[in-house]
């Protein structure tokens, strides 16, 4: 009966992916799909005292609620910080300064760099999408590149290495492993740098290749009839205004990684700093706080719903069978790191969420991974980094919420623009996480052996 239960896990995951791809809210489809998973496991048993109803009222709600309680402060403060940076023009001014420095001749780099800097500075990737797209639109128009290539560049900059690989990034995908492995955001700094190169360089080269190919084929920019550019009067901004975007970014990194004050204090300091530097926009602050709070609820509820789905999956016999397969290893550093990379990638892809998939994987297997690492003398920081890297791979399958948002904002379809998103934020990171897990595991095993 465990085999039928495992079939139910895949049926539920497949249905979740399909319905999310069709644009339905995960707030209702996640518990519905969890119910399907539980139905397939009735014959094998849900566990002592568990029923179909309790799988929702107890297991689903406990999983979603615990995630909400743990991560709401980070979601809330991150969303408020991003909104303040947005409405004051601080983020846009910083991005504009980078664009002017680089110029449209290097269109891909001019889009990617602001995305990297803003997300590395703690701004939510959803906020970055809305901030960068209008500028990216103007850059690609000036460079005469197809605007359908723009979503790939934004995704690469916002959903990629600054989310999982760069040392000390304040994005939640780099914070979640800390609770399981007792690490810091700067965990495994050398591996982080290597990962940035392994994943970052091929992704950027792909985007440049696509741009050169478009020019060679004579494909140029075509206006988007649905896009309405908002004109900003930069003459009314002080010449130092771009610094109001840079200083909070530095504050976040310093507070989180140098002072080790935690993400809540880092975000609070960044918000206060941005407000003080943009005090002339005082009347915008309260509306920005409200908008950020509302946005944070939507973001965390979507992710918490997926975690709740995973909490139901965890209790069925089929998942234990799957977990045993994914966690099977011969006790070596190589097999341990590869097992973690595989399990996090699979669950991030299944839920369409990097943080949600990683939370499920580590809640089930994290304790076992840590015990095995201690047993063979492997530094837990490597587990942290592989988990973070792997969460940013299969999460960006077509049903991912950030992908759907990016395509909606850019008025592009999956057919037009998803190939570049897939290659730079899914294919290359997945392969990179596997290569790094195997290579680093072999390297560490050689010295530990």
């Amino acid at each position: 009966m465990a085999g039928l239960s495992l079939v139910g896990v895949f049926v539920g995951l497949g249905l979740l992916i399909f319905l999310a791809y069709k644009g339905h809210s995960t707030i209702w489809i996640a518990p519905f799909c969890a119910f399907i998973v539980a139905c397939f496991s009735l014959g094998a048993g849900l566990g002592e005292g568990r029923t179909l109803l309790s799988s929702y009222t107890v297991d689903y709600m406990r999983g979603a609620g615990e995630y909400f309680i743990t991560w709401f402060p980070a979601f809330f403060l991150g969303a408020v910080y991003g909104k303040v940076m947005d409405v004051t023009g601080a983020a846009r001014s910083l991005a504009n300064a980078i664009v002017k420095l680089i110029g449209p001749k290097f269109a891909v780099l001019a889009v990617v760099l602001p995305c990297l800097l803003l997300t590395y500075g703690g701004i939510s990737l959803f906020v970055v999408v809305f901030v960068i797209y209008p500028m990216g639109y103007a850059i690609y128009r000036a460079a005469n590149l197809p605007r359908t290539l723009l979503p790939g560049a934004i995704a690469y900059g916002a959903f990629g290495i600054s989310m999982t690989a760069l040392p000390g990034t304040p994005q939640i995908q780099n914070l979640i492993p800390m609770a399981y492995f007792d690490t810091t955001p700067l965990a495994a700094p050398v591996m982080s740098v290597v990962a940035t190169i392994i994943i970052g360089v091929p992704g950027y080269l792909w985007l440049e290749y696509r741009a050169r190919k478009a020019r060679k084929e004579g494909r140029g920019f075509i206006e988007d009839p649905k896009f309405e550019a908002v004109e900003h009067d930069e003459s009314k901004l002080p010449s130092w205004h771009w610094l109001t975007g840079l200083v909070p970014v530095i504050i976040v990194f310093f507070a989180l990684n140098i002072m080790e004050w935690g993400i809540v204090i880092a975000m609070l300091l960044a918000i206060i700093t941005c407000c003080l530097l943009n005090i002339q926009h005082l009347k915008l602050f309260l509306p920005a706080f409200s908008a950020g709070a509302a946005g944070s609820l939507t973001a965390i509820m979507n992710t918490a719903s997926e975690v709740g789905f995973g909490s139901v999956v965890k209790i069925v016999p089929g998942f234990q069978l799957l977990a045993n397969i994914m966690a099977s290893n011969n006790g070596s550093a190589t097999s341990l790191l590869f097992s973690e990379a595989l399990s996090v990638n699979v669950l991030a892809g299944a839920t369409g969420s990097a943080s949600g998939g990683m939370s499920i994987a580590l809640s089930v297997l994290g304790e076992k991974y840590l015990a095995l690492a201690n047993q063979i003398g492997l530094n837990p920081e490597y587990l942290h980094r592989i988990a973070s890297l792997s969460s940013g791979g299969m999460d960006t399958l077509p049903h991912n919420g950030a992908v759907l948002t990016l395509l909606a904002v850019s008025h592009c379809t999956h057919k037009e623009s998803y190939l570049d998103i897939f290659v730079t934020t899914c294919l290359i990171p997945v392969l990179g996480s596997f290569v790094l897990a195997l290579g680093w595991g072999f390297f560490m095993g050689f010295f530990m052996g």
Side-chain angles (χ1 to χ4, degrees), residues 167-182:
T169 175
Q171 295 297 324
I172 193 171
Q173 292 79 5
N174 186 45
L175 303 180
I176 290 176
M178 294 165 55
Y180 297 93
F181 303 128
D182 192 26

Side-chain angles (χ1 to χ4, degrees), residues 151-282:
I154 295 175
Y156 169 79
F159 309 168
I161 55 176
S162 60
M163 188 176 82
T164 62
L166 288 176
T169 175
Q171 295 297 324
I172 193 171
Q173 292 79 5
N174 186 45
L175 303 180
I176 290 176
M178 294 165 55
Y180 297 93
F181 303 128
D182 192 26
T183 48
T184 71
L186 282 170
V190 176
M191 180 188 276
S192 296
V193 173
V194 173
T196 299
I197 297 171
I198 290 177
I199 297 173
V201 172
Y204 182 76
L205 292 177
W206 169 264
L207 294 173
E208 287 288 359
Y209 158 75
R210 292 278 287 168
R212 290 195 304 271
K213 184 180 179 182
R215 291 190 180 101
K216 186 177 180 180
E217 294 174 352
R219 293 185 291 117
F221 188 87
I222 299 176
E223 294 286 348
D224 176 9
K226 297 180 181 180
F227 177 69
E228 296 181 6
V230 178
E231 299 297 333
H232 296 271
D233 189 355
E234 296 185 26
S235 64
K236 295 182 179 180
L237 298 176
S239 59
W240 49 263
H241 193 64
W242 65 272
L243 283 173
T244 68
L246 179 61
V247 173
V249 168
I250 297 173
I251 290 291
V252 169
F253 183 86
F254 181 82
L256 185 64
N257 295 292
I258 306 302
M259 301 305 298
E260 298 184 1
W261 285 338
I263 190 63
V264 171
I265 295 179
M267 288 290 107
L268 282 172
L269 288 175
I271 293 169
I272 294 171
T273 301
C274 187
C275 289
L276 291 176
L277 292 174
N278 292 280
I279 197 67
Q280 72 272 23
H281 298 299
L282 180 62

Side-chain angles (χ1 to χ4, degrees), residues 318-338:
F319 181 75
Q320 189 57 52
L321 180 62
L322 181 63
N324 290 337
I325 295 172
M326 291 190 295
S328 61
N329 63 80
N330 59 15
S332 69
T334 301
S335 61
L336 178 57
L337 293 179
F338 183 78

